[in-house]
Amino acid sequence: MKQIETERLILRPFAPERDAEFLLEVLNDPGFIANVADRGVRTPAQALDYMREKFLPGYERYGVGYCVVELKTSGRPVGTCGLVKRDTMEDFDIGYSTLERFSGNGYAFEAAAALMDYGRTALGLQRIIGMTSLTNAKSAHLLEKLGLRFERMVQVPGFTGESRLFASTF
C-alpha cells in the first residue's frame, strides 16, 4: 500500500518494527473501547501479533488496509484509518479511530475522505460501507458528512452489540 498525503496528514501502512506501541495505545484508548470493542490487547507483543494478524494481510491481499494517521508537521501519530475487507461483508469498510486527546480537529474526516478517494480512484470501488455503534453519534455524523447514508442494522463479529451500517455508491 502506498502512502497517502492530505493537507495536514500522512496516512501510511503500519510497520511492525515501529508501530506496536502506538497500536497498543489506540486499542486501549477509552474512546476505542467504548465505540468499537475491547480487543484485550495489553502488551506491545500482543499489539504486534494483532497487527500481523489483522492489518498486514490486507495490504498483501487487497493493496489497502488500516493506516497510521500522522501529523505532517511533526510526524506524531494521532489515529488510524483504513479501508478493510471483512470476511463477513461484501463491500470494503471505511474505519477510523482518533486518540481522544486529538479528537475534534477533523483528522478522522480528512483521513477517511482521502482513503475513500483512493478506494474510488486507485482501487475502482463502486461502493464503500461504514459501521458505527448505536451510541456513537459523532461517528454516524462523520459517515454522513463523507456521503454515506444509513442502510440497515447489522451484527458484526468482533464488535460490541448491533451496529448501524452506512453505505455510499459512487
Side-chain angles (χ1 to χ4, degrees):
M1 181 180 163
K2 73 174 198 131
Q3 179 173 292
I4 297 170
E5 293 190 25
T6 69
E7 182 180 333
R8 302 180 298 163
L9 306 171
I10 294 172
L11 287 72
R12 63 166 178 79
F14 271 85
E17 63 280 357
R18 78 185 253 204
D19 295 321
E21 290 279 349
F22 172 66
L23 181 57
L24 179 65
E25 184 179 5
V26 168
L27 295 175
N28 287 285
D29 190 74
F32 185 91
I33 290 172
N35 293 307
V36 180
D38 184 348
R39 301 290 188 213
V41 175
R42 302 291 184 258
T43 67
Q46 289 174 324
L48 185 58
D49 289 344
Y50 187 89
M51 186 189 313
R52 286 182 174 144
E53 179 185 326
K54 303 287 185 183
F55 294 176
L56 303 184
Y59 303 152
E60 293 174 25
R61 245 182 256 140
Y62 306 109
V64 71
Y66 273 102
C67 299
V68 176
V69 177
E70 297 176 333
L71 299 178
K72 258 187 183 178
T73 55
S74 65
R76 183 177 196 148
V78 298
T80 67
C81 189
L83 275 174
V84 295
K85 181 66 178 80
R86 300 182 192 285
D87 293 338
T88 58
M89 295 289 163
E90 196 172 309
D91 303 296
F92 278 81
D93 176 17
I94 185 78
Y96 42 83
S97 180
T98 303
L99 293 172
E100 280 191 350
R101 68 180 179 276
F102 296 106
S103 184
N105 292 299
Y107 299 140
F109 176 78
E110 190 173 328
L115 268 176
M116 287 182 63
D117 182 62
Y118 179 80
R120 283 191 301 268
T121 59
L123 304 176
L125 299 180
Q126 298 298 307
R127 180 177 147 95
I128 295 174
I129 63 169
M131 293 178 281
T132 184
S133 66
L134 293 174
T135 58
N136 193 346
K138 285 172 58 175
S139 188
H141 176 73
L142 190 146
L143 291 171
E144 290 174 337
K145 188 175 174 183
L146 288 166
L148 285 77
R149 298 293 171 246
F150 175 77
E151 195 171 87
R152 67 182 188 277
M153 301 300 296
V154 295
Q155 186 69 44
V156 182
F159 285 78
T160 305
E162 203 171 28
S163 297
R164 292 180 283 183
L165 184 139
F166 293 75
S168 178
T169 303
F170 310 111

